């Protein structure tokens, strides 16, 4: 009887592990944009292709303001919930292989929220540096951007120092951009609000994701930086 129970238990564990593996086998999100990437033609001569690499903030941006992307030849490659480690896994498929002139990297919100493990500012920052170096090795100009402010994460109330985490990560990104003379987009300063360093309630419904009005603010900040970066490359 004991032997049969052990066999049953082992089988149950293996079955559970198999289902867990099946659920997580595309942990990096490589399949999310696989079809769109395959259908995207190579950049035409003189085309200034720009990829926005990000999480739900980027994904929602395209959904909220699709014309901003379409009219400017911008490509959105945001996946809701993704951390910088997942960005790194799919960076070749969603950025390098698309042969953009410029990539804008906005990473860190979900790292701070511990979506895929404990937060370590140096690991998150290191992932951003790795993406930068991969892009540069492939002749792609990099624009780094700040993490948007948030006083808390509604899906993880256990995080009580969200604002401090975001500030620490932004300081590292800004210092790196300055040191390496990379364009840096400071969304944070334009939309931070109050002593809790929250996302301005005029621009959000949930404290993390911008509304259409919030994206208006971000667009006014990022587009001039993109335009300047493209002109420098000519």
């Amino acid at each position: 009887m004991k032997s049969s129970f052990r066999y049953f238990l082992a089988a149950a564990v293996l079955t559970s592990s198999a289902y867990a593996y099946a659920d997580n086998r595309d942990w990096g999100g490589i399949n999310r944009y696989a079809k769109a990437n395959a259908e995207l033609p190579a950049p035409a001569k003189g085309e200034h292709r720009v990829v926005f690499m990000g999480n739900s903030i980027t994904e929602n941006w395209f959904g909220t303001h699709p014309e901003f992307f379409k009219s400017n030849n911008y490509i959105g490659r945001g996946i809701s919930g993704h951390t910088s480690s997942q960005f790194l896994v799919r960076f070749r498929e969603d950025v390098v292989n698309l042969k953009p002139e410029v990539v804008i990297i906005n990473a860190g919100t979900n790292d701070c929220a511990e979506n895929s493990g404990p937060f370590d500012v140096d690991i998150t920052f290191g992932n951003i540096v790795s993406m930068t170096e991969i892009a540069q090795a492939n002749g792609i100009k990099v624009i780094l951007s700040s993490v948007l402010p948030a006083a808390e994460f509604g899906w993880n109330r256990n995080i009580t120092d969200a604002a401090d985490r975001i500030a620490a990560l932004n300081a590292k990104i800004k210092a790196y951009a300055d040191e390496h003379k990379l364009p840096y987009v400071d969304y944070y300063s334009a939309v931070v609000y109050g002593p809790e360093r929250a996302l301005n309630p005029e621009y959000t419904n949930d404290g993390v994701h911008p509304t259409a009005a919030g994206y208006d603010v971000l667009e006014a900040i990022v587009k001039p930086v993109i335009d300047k970066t493209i002109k420098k490359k000519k």
Side-chain angles (χ1 to χ4, degrees):
M1 181 67 72
K2 288 183 179 178
S3 177
S4 298
F5 177 76
R6 289 195 193 99
Y7 176 81
F8 174 81
L9 183 60
V13 169
L14 287 172
T15 302
S16 175
S17 297
Y19 281 120
Y21 172 75
D23 288 342
N24 291 286
R25 59 190 171 192
D26 191 26
W27 178 84
I30 290 174
N31 292 324
R32 170 66 174 80
Y33 291 104
K35 186 174 184 292
N37 291 344
E39 293 173 348
L40 190 68
K45 185 177 180 180
E47 178 181 345
H48 304 296
R49 180 171 291 177
V50 178
V51 173
F52 281 62
M53 184 67 167
N55 47 45
S56 58
I57 292 168
T58 299
E59 186 174 20
N60 293 351
W61 197 337
F62 179 80
T64 303
H65 283 177
E67 284 307 313
F68 174 69
F69 287 81
K70 294 175 182 176
S71 64
N72 290 296
N73 198 31
Y74 300 160
I75 297 170
R77 288 297 180 263
I79 297 182
S80 179
H82 264 205
T83 62
S84 62
S85 296
Q86 291 165 300
F87 284 26
L88 192 54
V89 169
R90 64 185 176 91
F91 196 77
R92 183 163 298 278
E93 286 72 21
D94 285 350
V95 178
V96 175
N97 291 349
L98 305 187
K99 302 186 184 304
E101 184 171 333
V102 177
V103 61
I104 301 162
I105 301 171
N106 181 250
T109 297
N110 293 318
D111 296 62
C112 293
E114 300 191 346
N115 278 24
S116 61
F119 175 64
D120 185 318
V121 68
D122 291 321
I123 290 176
T124 300
F125 172 66
N127 288 338
I128 293 169
V129 171
S130 292
M131 287 185 279
T132 299
E133 292 174 346
I134 291 169
Q136 292 175 327
N138 286 277
I140 302 167
K141 287 280 189 181
V142 177
I143 298 174
L144 296 178
S145 65
S146 65
V147 179
L148 270 65
E152 62 179 5
F153 304 111
W155 63 95
N156 190 352
R157 301 286 186 183
N158 292 323
I159 306 299
T160 59
D161 60 343
D164 289 336
R165 294 180 178 200
I166 291 169
L169 180 55
N170 281 343
K172 282 184 172 288
I173 299 170
K174 177 64 164 60
Y176 178 81
D178 289 345
E179 180 183 356
H180 294 273
K181 296 180 171 56
L182 297 172
Y184 176 76
V185 178
D186 184 11
Y187 298 131
Y188 182 94
S189 295
V191 294
V192 68
Y193 177 84
E196 293 183 347
R197 293 168 289 169
L199 180 55
N200 193 320
E202 291 185 16
Y203 305 132
T204 185
N205 292 322
D206 64 5
V208 174
H209 301 92
T211 57
Y215 286 122
D216 285 338
V217 176
L218 304 191
E219 288 165 15
I221 297 169
V222 72
K223 191 175 186 306
V225 179
I226 296 172
D227 293 344
K228 184 176 180 180
T229 303
I230 288 173
K231 285 180 182 178
K232 279 188 176 181
K233 181 147 185 174
K234 290 180 180 179

